[in-house]
């Protein structure tokens, strides 16, 4: 542990929660460039790291650099992001088509040995994670106590059970049935991250072999998780820094827009929104509601007795930082703009037809097309724009909350 990393015994345990987002995770990288130094300036560092889907990839990268100063951490994180371009994430669609056709045909004919598990091959991402995350440093940081726990969330395909693969210096918490989840002690590696980020249908489900008691097929951790903040609290966090990529507030009512004809792309975007955005937004509201109740002198004892009767620890007030886009459509609009500029011409399409094909298949005139593209647009220009939004929103939070932390509900816009 470096000299600057020593933790005061009375310092609160801070958790960093990074939610799902696909290519939108560049927004999180930008936000962390502001938030990690801001937390360090107030005398502490994140000791519990929890990530889901693309957030899990960033979580592992942060765990591997936790012994470094915040500025160096974010520089390393930028480097990891710069290598997650399309060619380093998924196989070209034209190379994947024969495999998809054969596997789909074999299932149609009842030859279940050749199962189709996803439209895009994700082998390049596995190689990228193996190369650009210092796994030895991650394990060393946990062993040395620089960080307490690193957890990544995945979903069991057959049972739908949420699994938090957790590398920790302490025993992992027991399963939490009310969250339909379980903690599993693990030595984290590439398969755990691949499982957490395997968006169903788009990317193939992933078989995790270790630990043996949790072996099986898994997909994206965002698909069934109901309470994104709960794992961090179960792992002992006193304070939570959460960075999401979906709208921080629900979309405004637009009755006229609801009457516009829809297509496959619209349905997909709606499903992704429900999976990626809504749970985090609802869990933040639940956290602030509970903070209000625990601060009530009359209600707090009642809540404590209720929790004790269930064998659970008492609720406590949990200060938080929450950064996510105020305008949930901003990243979608930017994705469309970057797509048209970088992938819309005939020459660009001939050079890399994958996104154009997906764009057409899902309904290129859909008003929600940008929402879908923003999860798949592993493009440096989109990364740069998304990261700038993240830095802007994190700076806004720091300016509006000089003490950094708050416990009450977010003000109305």
């Amino acid at each position: 542990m470096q000299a600057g990393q020593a933790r005061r015994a009375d310092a609160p345990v801070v958790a960093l929660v990074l939610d799902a987002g696909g290519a939108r995770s560049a927004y999180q990288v930008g936000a962390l460039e502001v938030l990690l130094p801001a937390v360090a300036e107030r005398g502490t560092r994140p000791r519990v790291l929890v990530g889901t889907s693309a957030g899990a990839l960033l979580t592992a990268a942060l765990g591997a650099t936790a012994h470094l100063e915040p500025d160096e951490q974010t520089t390393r994180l930028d480097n990891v992001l710069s290598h997650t371009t399309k060619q380093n994430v998924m196989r070209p669609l034209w190379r994947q088509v024969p495999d998809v056709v054969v596997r789909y045909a074999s299932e149609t004919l009842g030859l279940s040995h050749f199962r189709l598990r996803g439209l895009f091959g994700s082998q390049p991402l596995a190689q990228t994670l193996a190369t650009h995350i210092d796994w030895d440093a991650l394990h060393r940081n946990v062993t040395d106590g620089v960080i307490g726990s690193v957890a990544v969330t995945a979903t069991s395909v057959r049972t739908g059970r949420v699994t938090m693969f957790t590398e920790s210096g302490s025993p992992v918490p027991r399963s939490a049935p009310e969250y339909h989840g379980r903690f599993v002690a693990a030595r984290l590696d590439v398969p755990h991250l691949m499982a957490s980020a395997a968006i169903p249908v788009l990317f193939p489900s992933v078989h995790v072999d270790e630990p043996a008691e949790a072996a099986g097929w898994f997909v994206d951790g965002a698909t069934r998780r109901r309470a994104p903040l709960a794992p961090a609290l179960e792992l002992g966090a006193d304070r939570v820094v959460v960075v999401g990529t979906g709208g921080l507030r629900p979309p405004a009512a637009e009755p006229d827009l609801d009457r516009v004809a829809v297509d496959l792309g619209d349905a997909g975007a709606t499903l992704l929104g429900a999976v990626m955005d809504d749970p985090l937004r609802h869990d933040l509201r639940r956290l602030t509601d509970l903070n209000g109740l625990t601060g009530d002198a009359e209600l707090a004892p009642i809540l404590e007795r209720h929790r004790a009767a269930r064998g659970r620890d008492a609720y406590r007030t949990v200060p938080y930082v929450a950064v996510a886009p105020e305008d949930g459509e901003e990243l979608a609009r930017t994705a469309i703009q970057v797509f048209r500029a970088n992938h819309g011409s005939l020459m660009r399409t001939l050079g890399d037809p994958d996104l154009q094909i997906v764009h057409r298949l899902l309904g290129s005139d859909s008003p929600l097309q940008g929402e879908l593209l923003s999860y798949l647009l592993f493009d440096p220009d989109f990364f740069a724009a998304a990261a700038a939004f993240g830095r802007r929103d994190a700076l806004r939070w720091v300016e509006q909350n000089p003490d950094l932390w708050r416990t009450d509900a977010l003000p109305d816009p």
Side-chain angles (χ1 to χ4, degrees), residues 1 31 92 98 199 217 245 269 298 304 314 331 334 349 374 388:
M1 183 182 297
I199 300 175
W217 291 97
T245 62
E298 294 183 1
E304 186 172 350
L331 286 170
T334 302
T349 298
S374 67

PDB file of all heavy atoms in Angstrom, residues 1 31 92 98 199 217 245 269 298 304 314 331 334 349 374 388:
ATOM      1  N   MET A   1       0.846  -1.195   0.000  1.00  0.00           N
ATOM      2  CA  MET A   1       0.000   0.000   0.000  1.00  0.00           C
ATOM      3  C   MET A   1       0.876   1.237   0.000  1.00  0.00           C
ATOM      4  O   MET A   1       1.759   1.377   0.838  1.00  0.00           O
ATOM      5  CB  MET A   1      -0.911  -0.017   1.234  1.00  0.00           C
ATOM      6  CG  MET A   1      -1.892   1.145   1.288  1.00  0.00           C
ATOM      7  SD  MET A   1      -2.922   1.116   2.785  1.00  0.00           S
ATOM      8  CE  MET A   1      -3.809  -0.404   2.570  1.00  0.00           C
ATOM      9  N   ALA A  31     -17.209  11.083 -15.829  1.00  0.00           N
ATOM     10  CA  ALA A  31     -17.665  11.475 -14.494  1.00  0.00           C
ATOM     11  C   ALA A  31     -16.636  11.122 -13.433  1.00  0.00           C
ATOM     12  O   ALA A  31     -16.391  11.893 -12.488  1.00  0.00           O
ATOM     13  CB  ALA A  31     -19.002  10.802 -14.187  1.00  0.00           C
ATOM     14  N   PRO A  92     -16.657  -8.933 -36.541  1.00  0.00           N
ATOM     15  CA  PRO A  92     -17.424  -8.358 -37.648  1.00  0.00           C
ATOM     16  C   PRO A  92     -18.623  -9.230 -37.983  1.00  0.00           C
ATOM     17  O   PRO A  92     -18.535 -10.470 -37.965  1.00  0.00           O
ATOM     18  CB  PRO A  92     -16.410  -8.324 -38.803  1.00  0.00           C
ATOM     19  CG  PRO A  92     -15.075  -8.314 -38.139  1.00  0.00           C
ATOM     20  CD  PRO A  92     -15.232  -9.125 -36.890  1.00  0.00           C
ATOM     21  N   PRO A  98     -22.092 -16.797 -41.029  1.00  0.00           N
ATOM     22  CA  PRO A  98     -22.129 -18.245 -41.259  1.00  0.00           C
ATOM     23  C   PRO A  98     -22.365 -19.038 -39.971  1.00  0.00           C
ATOM     24  O   PRO A  98     -23.129 -20.007 -39.960  1.00  0.00           O
ATOM     25  CB  PRO A  98     -20.747 -18.536 -41.858  1.00  0.00           C
ATOM     26  CG  PRO A  98     -20.317 -17.246 -42.464  1.00  0.00           C
ATOM     27  CD  PRO A  98     -20.851 -16.195 -41.558  1.00  0.00           C
ATOM     28  N   ILE A 199     -25.074  -8.876 -23.060  1.00  0.00           N
ATOM     29  CA  ILE A 199     -26.445  -8.417 -23.318  1.00  0.00           C
ATOM     30  C   ILE A 199     -27.192  -9.518 -24.064  1.00  0.00           C
ATOM     31  O   ILE A 199     -26.751  -9.958 -25.132  1.00  0.00           O
ATOM     32  CB  ILE A 199     -26.451  -7.128 -24.153  1.00  0.00           C
ATOM     33  CG1 ILE A 199     -25.715  -6.011 -23.411  1.00  0.00           C
ATOM     34  CG2 ILE A 199     -27.877  -6.686 -24.469  1.00  0.00           C
ATOM     35  CD1 ILE A 199     -25.565  -4.737 -24.210  1.00  0.00           C
ATOM     36  N   TRP A 217     -24.282 -21.035 -16.890  1.00  0.00           N
ATOM     37  CA  TRP A 217     -24.404 -20.037 -17.957  1.00  0.00           C
ATOM     38  C   TRP A 217     -25.003 -18.742 -17.410  1.00  0.00           C
ATOM     39  O   TRP A 217     -25.992 -18.762 -16.690  1.00  0.00           O
ATOM     40  CB  TRP A 217     -25.282 -20.576 -19.082  1.00  0.00           C
ATOM     41  CG  TRP A 217     -24.643 -21.703 -19.837  1.00  0.00           C
ATOM     42  CD1 TRP A 217     -24.830 -23.034 -19.655  1.00  0.00           C
ATOM     43  CD2 TRP A 217     -23.700 -21.576 -20.903  1.00  0.00           C
ATOM     44  NE1 TRP A 217     -24.055 -23.768 -20.519  1.00  0.00           N
ATOM     45  CE2 TRP A 217     -23.350 -22.897 -21.312  1.00  0.00           C
ATOM     46  CE3 TRP A 217     -23.107 -20.495 -21.550  1.00  0.00           C
ATOM     47  CZ2 TRP A 217     -22.448 -23.142 -22.341  1.00  0.00           C
ATOM     48  CZ3 TRP A 217     -22.207 -20.746 -22.581  1.00  0.00           C
ATOM     49  CH2 TRP A 217     -21.886 -22.047 -22.961  1.00  0.00           C
ATOM     50  N   THR A 245     -25.836   5.618 -16.549  1.00  0.00           N
ATOM     51  CA  THR A 245     -25.796   6.140 -17.912  1.00  0.00           C
ATOM     52  C   THR A 245     -27.187   6.422 -18.465  1.00  0.00           C
ATOM     53  O   THR A 245     -27.316   6.951 -19.558  1.00  0.00           O
ATOM     54  CB  THR A 245     -25.090   5.149 -18.860  1.00  0.00           C
ATOM     55  OG1 THR A 245     -25.832   3.921 -18.901  1.00  0.00           O
ATOM     56  CG2 THR A 245     -23.675   4.868 -18.389  1.00  0.00           C
ATOM     57  N   ALA A 269     -35.580  -0.575 -27.821  1.00  0.00           N
ATOM     58  CA  ALA A 269     -35.140   0.557 -27.021  1.00  0.00           C
ATOM     59  C   ALA A 269     -35.939   0.665 -25.726  1.00  0.00           C
ATOM     60  O   ALA A 269     -35.394   0.978 -24.665  1.00  0.00           O
ATOM     61  CB  ALA A 269     -35.277   1.852 -27.830  1.00  0.00           C
ATOM     62  N   GLU A 298     -39.376   9.279  15.647  1.00  0.00           N
ATOM     63  CA  GLU A 298     -40.480   8.388  16.017  1.00  0.00           C
ATOM     64  C   GLU A 298     -40.491   7.112  15.183  1.00  0.00           C
ATOM     65  O   GLU A 298     -40.772   6.021  15.695  1.00  0.00           O
ATOM     66  CB  GLU A 298     -41.812   9.123  15.861  1.00  0.00           C
ATOM     67  CG  GLU A 298     -41.997  10.285  16.832  1.00  0.00           C
ATOM     68  CD  GLU A 298     -43.366  10.927  16.677  1.00  0.00           C
ATOM     69  OE1 GLU A 298     -44.153  10.446  15.831  1.00  0.00           O
ATOM     70  OE2 GLU A 298     -43.644  11.909  17.388  1.00  0.00           O
ATOM     71  N   GLU A 304     -36.347  -0.208  13.155  1.00  0.00           N
ATOM     72  CA  GLU A 304     -35.297  -1.047  13.723  1.00  0.00           C
ATOM     73  C   GLU A 304     -35.867  -2.354  14.254  1.00  0.00           C
ATOM     74  O   GLU A 304     -35.293  -3.426  14.045  1.00  0.00           O
ATOM     75  CB  GLU A 304     -34.578  -0.282  14.840  1.00  0.00           C
ATOM     76  CG  GLU A 304     -33.376  -1.023  15.391  1.00  0.00           C
ATOM     77  CD  GLU A 304     -32.556  -0.174  16.350  1.00  0.00           C
ATOM     78  OE1 GLU A 304     -32.816   1.047  16.436  1.00  0.00           O
ATOM     79  OE2 GLU A 304     -31.667  -0.741  17.012  1.00  0.00           O
ATOM     80  N   ALA A 314     -30.323  -2.947  11.221  1.00  0.00           N
ATOM     81  CA  ALA A 314     -31.194  -1.782  11.141  1.00  0.00           C
ATOM     82  C   ALA A 314     -30.835  -0.927   9.935  1.00  0.00           C
ATOM     83  O   ALA A 314     -29.675  -0.868   9.505  1.00  0.00           O
ATOM     84  CB  ALA A 314     -31.071  -0.955  12.416  1.00  0.00           C
ATOM     85  N   LEU A 331     -27.497  11.393 -24.815  1.00  0.00           N
ATOM     86  CA  LEU A 331     -26.577  10.396 -25.370  1.00  0.00           C
ATOM     87  C   LEU A 331     -27.145   9.757 -26.630  1.00  0.00           C
ATOM     88  O   LEU A 331     -26.403   9.464 -27.573  1.00  0.00           O
ATOM     89  CB  LEU A 331     -26.278   9.327 -24.321  1.00  0.00           C
ATOM     90  CG  LEU A 331     -25.354   9.744 -23.179  1.00  0.00           C
ATOM     91  CD1 LEU A 331     -25.334   8.675 -22.092  1.00  0.00           C
ATOM     92  CD2 LEU A 331     -23.947  10.003 -23.690  1.00  0.00           C
ATOM     93  N   THR A 334     -26.690  12.183 -29.510  1.00  0.00           N
ATOM     94  CA  THR A 334     -25.282  12.231 -29.890  1.00  0.00           C
ATOM     95  C   THR A 334     -24.883  10.979 -30.668  1.00  0.00           C
ATOM     96  O   THR A 334     -24.110  11.054 -31.630  1.00  0.00           O
ATOM     97  CB  THR A 334     -24.403  12.370 -28.633  1.00  0.00           C
ATOM     98  OG1 THR A 334     -24.790  13.545 -27.916  1.00  0.00           O
ATOM     99  CG2 THR A 334     -22.929  12.459 -28.999  1.00  0.00           C
ATOM    100  N   THR A 349     -19.715   2.650 -44.954  1.00  0.00           N
ATOM    101  CA  THR A 349     -20.558   1.457 -44.863  1.00  0.00           C
ATOM    102  C   THR A 349     -19.871   0.251 -45.483  1.00  0.00           C
ATOM    103  O   THR A 349     -19.898  -0.854 -44.943  1.00  0.00           O
ATOM    104  CB  THR A 349     -21.905   1.696 -45.547  1.00  0.00           C
ATOM    105  OG1 THR A 349     -22.595   2.756 -44.876  1.00  0.00           O
ATOM    106  CG2 THR A 349     -22.769   0.440 -45.525  1.00  0.00           C
ATOM    107  N   SER A 374     -26.657   3.947 -29.081  1.00  0.00           N
ATOM    108  CA  SER A 374     -25.781   4.452 -28.030  1.00  0.00           C
ATOM    109  C   SER A 374     -25.186   3.329 -27.187  1.00  0.00           C
ATOM    110  O   SER A 374     -24.156   3.516 -26.538  1.00  0.00           O
ATOM    111  CB  SER A 374     -26.536   5.436 -27.133  1.00  0.00           C
ATOM    112  OG  SER A 374     -27.557   4.798 -26.395  1.00  0.00           O
ATOM    113  N   ALA A 388     -17.296  13.777 -22.111  1.00  0.00           N
ATOM    114  CA  ALA A 388     -17.455  15.206 -21.829  1.00  0.00           C
ATOM    115  C   ALA A 388     -18.749  15.468 -21.074  1.00  0.00           C
ATOM    116  O   ALA A 388     -18.789  16.293 -20.148  1.00  0.00           O
ATOM    117  CB  ALA A 388     -17.422  15.999 -23.137  1.00  0.00           C
TER     118      ALA A 388
END
